[in-house]
Amino acid sequence: MQGSLPYGSLQWCLSPVHEKTHIPNLLYQIYKSRPDLQQAFPDPFGANQTRLLKWAQIHLANEYFIGDDLPDRFSIIKDTSSFSKRNSFFKWALSPVHHKTHIPNLLYQIYKNRPDLKQTFPDPLGTDQFRFLKWAQHNLASEYYIEDDFFSRFNIVKSEVLLSNPANTQAPSHLKKGINLVGYARAEFGLGESCRLAARSIQSTNIPFGIINYPLPNLKSMDFSWKHKEIVDPIYNINIFHINPDLFPLVYKQLGPQFFSGRYNIGYWHWELPEFPEEWCSSFKFVNEVWVPSSFVLEAVSKKTNLPVTRIPHCIQVQCPEDIDRHYFKLPLDRFLFLSMYDTRSVQQRKNPIASIQAFQKAFAKDDSAVGLVLKINNSHNTPTEVRELQKLAQDSNNIYLIDQPLNREEVNALIQSVDCVISLHRSEGFGLVLAEAMYLGKPIIGTNWSGNTDFMTTENSCPVNYTLVPVGNDYGPYKHHQLWAEPDIEHAAYYMKKIISDQTWCDRIAEKGQETMMIHFSPSVIGDIIKKRLMELGFV
């Protein structure tokens, strides 16, 4: 039968190499040209064929450019499925329906419109999946589409490749199993801390790893806590990038295709609104998978890609120096202190420190000497107008204290330790790191009950503040006017502030429960196990 198929036709490409395998001709031709695949899957027709098929579903459309002119030929798909226009048709068509099956989206859409297939293969995603795949390899192209030169799209000698070019940049044969952790490892801001927390989680496992520091110009990068793990070259078979998708095209250009070639590339991405930015979607082509810190971000990203998206929370572990206390920050010793903090680069309208001031002023008199609100602003020099606005709002209150000088990581930890409660009336968060860190340190926390922080905040371990979803209204950096975010209930926040002061037993109980939540569910070893389990599922460690 193989001899009767035109070489290069779609039917030939999809047909199995021989009757005893599920590996199609096209995949086997690519396999024979790729030393990295031969090394990873030494028995492609036997013990390794399932893993090789899985590799193809995840990587083939990513690594080889395939024209998008076929959807019109598959009229049944055009009529019944609105596949994502943000990625190529082939990327959608080849991706598995879900991570527990080998049946690709294209085949499953055809199945759902064919009564004869439903009768023949009643369990297509389970027990019948390999018989169904066999049917597709022999029949799909002949029943829906035949093209005599389709194989030319995959010219093994002169292929146009997005992430690796096996003709010009063969995958390194010397790669070790392990992780190249790429990010702002020395930078003193949120994404830098994200990279360092990942290092802490990975270190709790037995997975070898090295850190490749990616410096940003005009950014303070003085955290050398992981310098001992820094490496120059990506020597391992997995890249994990703690770099957001808006910068990925530049990162790819600067690092070069060889940095990505032959490795499994994971983007650890943050985002804070329900809709992932359309202009960032082009960065999906540079990675094989996306990791996110919360269920909220997972939902937003998953809507825009067929790539696997996995929730890997930040680990939480806060180390505080013993010699830094309220004296160090010139804060009063004789009162209950609330703390609200934000970085101007994270957009003031999103972090919403004004709401914390308003809630405090509603809860307590401006001269109440039993309480105080500490407002910590990072990188205040970037937005002097915003800072003056906050100063004006607080100027009549004798119990509001502004800290706007730069602090290193140890000083920030000590500041959180030195206060009694942390409040964040944000409009949206991807995770809510400061709230989680305060919980770890045994502080009661008050936070808007929406977005990423709801993964760890409950009424049993914290003070979740009511909110109303409202339009963003204006464009604030990457946050566009048409999206939604939360408007926290100031009255409800003020109620919690007064209750924390007045009910010590309840306050101690939620603080204890919050600390327990962090210790049990967000420790480096727990998150490290999640990372290890995912990479084991993929067969890379």
Side-chain angles (χ1 to χ4, degrees), residues 126-187:
T127 56
D128 295 320
Q129 68 172 319
F130 281 109
R131 287 198 309 118
F132 185 32
L133 282 169
K134 200 76 169 178
W135 173 88
Q137 288 184 310
H138 285 297
N139 300 280
L140 188 65
S142 61
E143 294 191 21
Y144 287 91
Y145 184 87
I146 298 177
E147 182 183 335
D148 289 340
D149 64 347
F150 185 84
F151 185 62
S152 65
R153 296 168 183 261
F154 292 90
N155 190 319
I156 301 302
V157 179
K158 297 180 181 179
S159 61
E160 179 183 352
V161 179
L162 292 176
L163 296 183
S164 63
N165 191 326
N168 303 322
T169 311
Q170 288 193 356
S173 60
H174 60 279
L175 290 181
K176 305 174 184 178
K177 285 191 174 184
I179 296 169
N180 308 301
L181 185 60
V182 188
Y184 318 114
R186 301 182 184 181

Side-chain angles (χ1 to χ4, degrees), residues 38-55:
Q38 294 168 33
Q39 182 178 355
F41 312 108
D43 186 12
F45 298 135
N48 300 130
Q49 76 166 322
T50 298
R51 288 179 54 230
L52 179 57
L53 284 168
K54 196 73 172 178
W55 175 91

Side-chain angles (χ1 to χ4, degrees), residues 90-110:
F90 276 92
K91 199 169 183 180
W92 171 86
L94 294 175
S95 295
V97 176
H98 56 68
H99 72 281
K100 293 183 179 179
T101 184
H102 300 291
I103 301 299
N105 287 310
L106 171 63
L107 185 55
Y108 191 54
Q109 288 297 325
I110 290 174

Side-chain angles (χ1 to χ4, degrees), residues 328-483:
Y328 183 88
F329 301 109
K330 297 180 175 59
L331 295 173
L333 308 179
D334 59 349
R335 62 188 65 195
F336 190 102
L337 290 181
F338 296 89
L339 170 66
S340 182
M341 60 189 298
Y342 84 105
D343 192 312
T344 59
R345 290 168 303 190
S346 297
V347 181
Q348 189 213 61
Q349 290 80 5
R350 177 175 73 82
K351 289 294 191 177
N352 201 18
I354 290 176
S356 295
I357 296 174
Q358 291 172 333
F360 179 79
Q361 290 174 331
K362 184 170 286 292
F364 308 107
K366 63 183 179 181
D367 56 354
D368 191 336
S369 60
V371 295
L373 173 66
V374 181
L375 184 61
K376 172 64 179 86
I377 307 174
N378 298 327
N379 294 292
S380 59
H381 61 278
N382 290 337
T383 55
T385 303
E386 286 182 6
V387 175
R388 284 195 294 271
E389 179 186 6
L390 295 173
Q391 290 171 332
K392 183 177 181 180
L393 188 61
Q395 66 184 2
D396 292 333
S397 297
N398 299 326
N399 45 13
I400 297 180
Y401 310 94
L402 181 66
I403 300 176
D404 60 359
Q405 71 266 27
L407 300 180
N408 61 35
R409 184 70 244 183
E410 282 193 340
E411 290 171 321
V412 170
N413 292 348
L415 178 61
I416 298 173
Q417 178 73 291
S418 70
V419 301
D420 300 292
C421 174
V422 169
I423 178 169
S424 172
L425 298 184
H426 56 267
R427 291 189 170 100
S428 59
E429 283 285 6
F431 181 77
L433 194 55
V434 173
L435 289 170
E437 290 169 341
M439 289 178 79
Y440 176 91
L441 292 174
K443 308 296 178 180
I445 64 168
I446 302 171
T448 309
N449 192 27
W450 189 73
S451 62
N453 54 296
T454 59
D455 275 9
F456 55 82
M457 283 183 65
T458 70
T459 54
E460 297 296 317
N461 67 12
S462 59
C463 304
V465 174
N466 296 338
Y467 66 92
T468 303
L469 286 181
V470 299
V472 173
N474 295 302
D475 290 350
Y476 301 111
Y479 312 115
K480 304 306 180 185
H481 65 279
H482 66 279
Q483 293 228 46

Side-chain angles (χ1 to χ4, degrees), residues 29 121 144 157 231 247 258 324 349 378 436 440 453 500 536:
Q29 291 297 316
F121 310 107
Y144 287 91
V157 179
I231 56 178
L247 287 182
Q258 71 283 354
I324 301 180
Q349 290 80 5
N378 298 327
Y440 176 91
N453 54 296
I500 280 177
M536 288 178 67

